[in-house]
C-alpha cells in the first residue's frame, strides 16, 4: 500500500517537473522559420532561383574569352624549291606563341533572350510560392504537433485529477471497511482502479514527451531531451463567411498560384521554341597576336597581330520537324495546365466548403461537450454523496468518475479537432494564423 502511494506521489511530482519552461506556438514557429530543415532547404532553393535571374544568364550580354597558347615542334625539314634549291635540316625547332581576346554577342534572336529573361523571373516567382508552401506545410505540422501536445497535457491534468479521486475513493472504502460497511473485494477493486489510472497517466505522459520531442525536431533543434512545456490554450480566429473564404482561396491559395506559374512558364517555353523559326545574328570581335619562330624553312619569323570583327547569320530552315513537334507538345502541355488549374480550383473550393462546415459542426459539438461537463460533474458529486450514504456501490461511483473523465477528455479532443479544421481552412485560403 505504501509502495502504491509512493508511485502516485512520484507521478504527480515528475509530471509537473518534467520540462523547464513554457513555449507558445508563435515562439515554436519563429524558431522553425530559422532552423527547420525543410524550410532551410526551400530557402536555399529559392536563393538559387533568385541568383538565376540575371541578364547574362538569359544570353543578353556578350561573351568574352581570353585565349593564349604555346606550341613547340622539333622536326626534320626537307624542302625542294622551284629554283632547284634544297633545304634540309635535322632537328628543326619551331615555336608558336598566340594570344588574344575574343568577343561573341547575339544581337538578334527574335526576342529569345528577352523571353528567356522573363522565364527566369517567372521561375523565381514560382520558387517564392514554393517557399511559402514549404513554410505552410511546416507551420501546419508544427501546429498539429503543438496542439496534440497540448491535448495530451490537458489529458494528463484530467488523469491527475482521476488519480486523486481514485485515491480518495480507496481511502473511503478503507475507512468503511474498518467499521464493517465494506469488504475486502471492494477495497481490492479500488486499488486496481487506482493502479489503472496511474498506468494510464504514465502512458499518456510518455506520449506527451514523444510529442514534445517531435515539436523540438520540427523547430530544427537538437532532440536531447525535453526542455519545453506547452504554455498556451487553444483559441479560434475564424470569423469570415463561407463566400469570403471561397473567394479568398481562389485568389490566395498557394497551390493554385503555383499551378498558374507553371502554366505561365509553359507559355514562355512555347514562345521560346517559336524563336527557332527565325534567323539569329551574332556579332564577333577579336584582338589577336600570333608569332612563329623556326630554325629553317620559308619563314624564319612569322608574326601578325591586330583587330578583327565580323557578323554571322544562322537560320535553320529544316531540322526534321523537331521544332514543330516541340511547339505542338508545349502547346498541349499548356492546355493540360489549364485543365489542371480548373480541376485544382474546384478541389480547393470543395475543400473550403467541407472544412468550413466541419469547423462549424465541430464548434457546435464542443459547445455541447462543455455543456455536458456540468452534468457530468453534478452526477459525480451526487454519486459521491450517495456512496457516502451507502446507497450506491463502489462500482457505480467508479462509473460516475469515468463518465466525468470522458467528458473532460471529449472537450479536449473536440477543441483539438475544431482547431485542426481551422488550420486547414487557413492554409486553403492562404491566411495561416498561429
Amino acid at each position: 500500500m505504501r509502495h502504491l502511494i509512493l508511485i502516485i506521489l512520484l507521478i504527480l511530482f515528475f509530471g509537473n517537473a518534467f520540462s523547464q519552461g513554457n513555449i507558445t506556438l508563435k515562439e515554436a514557429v519563429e524558431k522553425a522559420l530559422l532552423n527547420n530543415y525543410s524550410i532551410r532547404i526551400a530557402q536555399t532553393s529559392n536563393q538559387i532561383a533568385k541568383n538565376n535571374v540575371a541578364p547574362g544568364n538569359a544570353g543578353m550580354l556578350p561573351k568574352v574569352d581570353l585565349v593564349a597558347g604555346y606550341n613547340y615542334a622539333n622536326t626534320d625539314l626537307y624542302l625542294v624549291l622551284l629554283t632547284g634549291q634544297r633545304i634540309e635540316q635535322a632537328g628543326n625547332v619551331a615555336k608558336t606563341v598566340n594570344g588574344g581576346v575574343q568577343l561573341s554577342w547575339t544581337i538578334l534572336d527574335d526576342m529569345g533572350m528577352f523571353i528567356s529573361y522573363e522565364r527566369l523571373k517567372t521561375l523565381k516567382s514560382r520558387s517564392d510560392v514554393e517557399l511559402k508552401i514549404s513554410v505552410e506545410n511546416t507551420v501546419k505540422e508544427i501546429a498539429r504537433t503543438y496542439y496534440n501536445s497540448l491535448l495530451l497535457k490537458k489529458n494528463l491534468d484530467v488523469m491527475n485529477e482521476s488519480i486523486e479521486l481514485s485515491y480518495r475513493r480507496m481511502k473511503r472504502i478503507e475507512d468503511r471497511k474498518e467499521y464493517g460497511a465494506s469488504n475486502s473485494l471492494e477495497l481490492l477493486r479500488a486499488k486496481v482502479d487506482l493502479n489503472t489510472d496511474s498506468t494510464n497517466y504514465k502512458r499518456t505522459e510518455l506520449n506527451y514527451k514523444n510529442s514534445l520531442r517531435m515539436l523540438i525536431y520540427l523547430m530544427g533543434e537538437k532532440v536531447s531531451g525535453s526542455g519545453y512545456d506547452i504554455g498556451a490554450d487553444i483559441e479560434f480566429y475564424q470569423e469570415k463567411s463561407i463566400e469570403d473564404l471561397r473567394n479568398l482561396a481562389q485568389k490566395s491559395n498557394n497551390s493554385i498560384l503555383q499551378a498558374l506559374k507553371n502554366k505561365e512558364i509553359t507559355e514562355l517555353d512555347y514562345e521560346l521554341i517559336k524563336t527557332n523559326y527565325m534567323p539569329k545574328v551574332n556579332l564577333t570581335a577579336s584582338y589577336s597576336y600570333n608569332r612563329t619562330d623556326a630554325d629553317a624553312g620559308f619563314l624564319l619569323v612569322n608574326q601578325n597581330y591586330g583587330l578583327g570583327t565580323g557578323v554571322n547569320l544562322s537560320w535553320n530552315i529544316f531540322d526534321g520537324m523537331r521544332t514543330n513537334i516541340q511547339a505542338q507538345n508545349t502547346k498541349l502541355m499548356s492546355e493540360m495546365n489549364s485543365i489542371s488549374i480548373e480541376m485544382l480550383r474546384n478541389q480547393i473550393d470543395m475543400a473550403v466548403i467541407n472544412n468550413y462546415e466541419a469547423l462549424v459542426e465541430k464548434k457546435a459539438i464542443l459547445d455541447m461537450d462543455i455543456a455536458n461537463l456540468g452534468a457530468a460533474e453534478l452526477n459525480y458529486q451526487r454519486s459521491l454523496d450517495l456512496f457516502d450514504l451507502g446507497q450506491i456501490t463502489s462500482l457505480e461511483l467508479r462509473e460516475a468518475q469515468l463518465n466525468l473523465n470522458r467528458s473532460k477528455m471529449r472537450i479536449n479532443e473536440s477543441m483539438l479537432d475544431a482547431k485542426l479544421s481551422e488550420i486547414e481552412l487557413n492554409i486553403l485560403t492562404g491566411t495561416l494564423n498561429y
Side-chain angles (χ1 to χ4, degrees):
M1 181 62 195
R2 292 180 179 177
H3 179 68
L4 180 60
I5 295 175
L6 178 60
I7 292 176
I8 295 171
L9 292 176
L10 289 175
I11 288 175
L12 299 180
F13 174 77
F14 287 110
N16 293 328
F18 164 61
S19 49
Q20 300 173 5
N22 290 339
I23 184 171
T24 64
L25 177 58
K26 182 178 181 180
E27 292 170 341
V29 171
E30 288 173 350
K31 289 179 179 291
L33 292 177
L34 295 175
N35 304 316
N36 178 268
Y37 305 110
S38 298
I39 291 179
R40 286 161 59 187
I41 292 173
Q43 288 173 336
T44 303
S45 178
N46 181 254
Q47 184 61 46
I48 292 173
K50 181 179 180 181
N51 292 341
N52 285 336
V53 183
N57 208 25
M60 300 174 68
L61 300 179
K63 178 185 177 184
V64 180
D65 295 314
L66 178 64
V67 297
Y70 173 78
N71 294 315
Y72 173 86
N74 189 333
T75 60
D76 293 336
L77 179 66
Y78 179 75
L79 295 175
V80 178
L81 305 181
L82 291 175
T83 61
Q85 181 183 0
R86 297 181 178 217
I87 301 175
E88 184 175 356
Q89 180 174 325
N92 177 42
V93 175
K95 302 176 182 178
T96 302
V97 178
N98 61 75
V101 178
Q102 298 176 349
L103 179 145
S104 176
W105 193 357
T106 300
I107 58 176
L108 177 64
D109 65 348
D110 193 35
M111 303 298 291
M113 64 185 73
F114 297 98
I115 297 173
S116 295
Y117 188 65
E118 187 64 28
R119 186 178 187 276
L120 291 173
K121 291 194 293 184
T122 306
L123 286 171
K124 166 60 171 60
S125 299
R126 186 182 68 177
S127 180
D128 292 339
V129 176
E130 290 171 346
L131 177 58
K132 292 179 181 179
I133 292 175
S134 178
V135 170
E136 277 185 347
N137 291 336
T138 301
V139 172
K140 175 182 176 180
E141 188 64 24
I142 288 177
R144 285 179 175 273
T145 305
Y146 184 92
Y147 287 122
N148 181 66
S149 300
L150 181 58
L151 168 67
L152 292 171
K153 182 182 179 181
K154 288 179 174 292
N155 286 346
L156 282 175
D157 292 337
V158 174
M159 293 177 180
N160 189 4
E161 295 174 0
S162 181
I163 290 173
E164 293 180 1
L165 295 178
S166 294
Y167 179 73
R168 293 174 186 173
R169 169 170 160 252
M170 184 188 69
K171 294 299 294 181
R172 279 183 166 85
I173 293 175
E174 284 182 342
D175 294 339
R176 293 177 61 180
K177 185 174 179 296
E178 290 182 3
Y179 295 100
S182 183
N183 54 49
S184 299
L185 181 59
E186 274 194 310
L187 181 58
L188 184 59
R189 286 172 178 169
K191 290 180 180 180
V192 170
D193 292 338
L194 178 58
N195 186 63
T196 299
D197 291 344
S198 303
T199 302
N200 290 337
Y201 184 97
K202 293 300 292 181
R203 288 173 178 166
T204 304
E205 183 184 49
L206 177 60
N207 292 335
Y208 177 57
K209 291 179 181 179
N210 291 339
S211 184
L212 285 180
R213 292 189 185 98
M214 176 56 69
L215 180 63
I216 293 171
Y217 168 77
L218 292 172
M219 287 160 51
E221 297 187 355
K222 291 184 178 180
V223 184
S224 57
S226 179
Y228 296 108
D229 195 2
I230 303 301
D233 208 340
I234 296 179
E235 298 181 6
F236 296 97
Y237 304 99
Q238 179 55 49
E239 296 179 354
K240 295 182 177 67
S241 67
I242 180 63
E243 290 304 321
D244 289 340
L245 291 172
R246 293 175 67 184
N247 292 332
L248 189 59
Q250 295 301 314
K251 296 177 182 178
S252 304
N253 180 271
N254 284 311
S255 294
I256 293 178
L257 296 178
Q258 183 185 37
L260 290 171
K261 289 297 179 182
N262 287 335
K263 184 175 186 298
E264 186 177 348
I265 291 170
T266 303
E267 291 171 348
L268 290 171
D269 286 338
Y270 177 73
E271 295 298 323
L272 199 57
I273 290 173
K274 289 200 304 182
T275 62
N276 293 328
Y277 293 116
M278 304 304 294
K280 294 179 174 55
V281 178
N282 292 328
L283 173 66
T284 61
S286 65
Y287 182 88
S288 60
Y289 169 83
N290 291 276
R291 179 183 175 92
T292 302
D293 294 289
D295 291 343
F298 286 113
L299 299 174
L300 299 181
V301 177
N302 182 10
Q303 176 178 295
N304 59 79
Y305 56 89
L307 178 67
T309 60
V311 177
N312 300 320
L313 181 145
S314 63
W315 192 352
N316 180 269
I317 57 176
F318 183 73
D319 63 352
M321 303 299 291
R322 283 177 295 188
T323 300
N324 286 339
I325 293 172
Q326 290 177 354
Q328 291 173 10
N329 290 341
T330 305
K331 195 69 174 177
L332 291 172
M333 289 180 62
S334 180
E335 294 176 7
M336 288 172 57
N337 287 336
S338 297
I339 297 172
S340 298
I341 290 172
E342 182 181 357
M343 179 180 66
L344 183 59
R345 286 187 181 278
N346 287 333
Q347 288 177 342
I348 296 299
D349 190 53
M350 178 180 64
V352 169
I353 296 173
N354 290 343
N355 278 274
Y356 180 84
E357 293 183 353
L359 178 59
V360 172
E361 291 299 323
K362 289 172 182 178
K363 283 185 175 180
I365 293 172
L366 175 60
D367 291 338
M368 289 188 290
D369 288 337
I370 293 174
N372 187 59
L373 176 60
E377 289 175 335
L378 181 59
N379 177 63
Y380 175 76
Q381 188 59 48
R382 289 183 177 178
S383 297
L384 183 62
D385 294 338
L386 292 174
F387 176 74
D388 289 338
L389 295 173
Q391 296 181 9
I392 64 172
T393 65
S394 174
L395 291 177
E396 291 173 311
L397 177 60
R398 175 65 176 177
E399 184 61 30
Q401 177 188 345
L402 293 177
N403 286 335
L404 177 60
N405 292 345
R406 285 191 288 264
S407 180
K408 291 179 179 179
M409 290 185 179
R410 274 199 303 269
I411 291 176
N412 297 338
E413 293 169 0
S414 296
M415 290 183 68
L416 174 64
D417 207 17
K419 187 61 182 179
L420 293 181
S421 291
E422 184 187 71
I423 292 172
E424 189 66 33
L425 192 59
N426 288 335
I427 289 178
L428 289 169
T429 56
T431 58
L432 183 60
N433 292 318
Y434 52 86

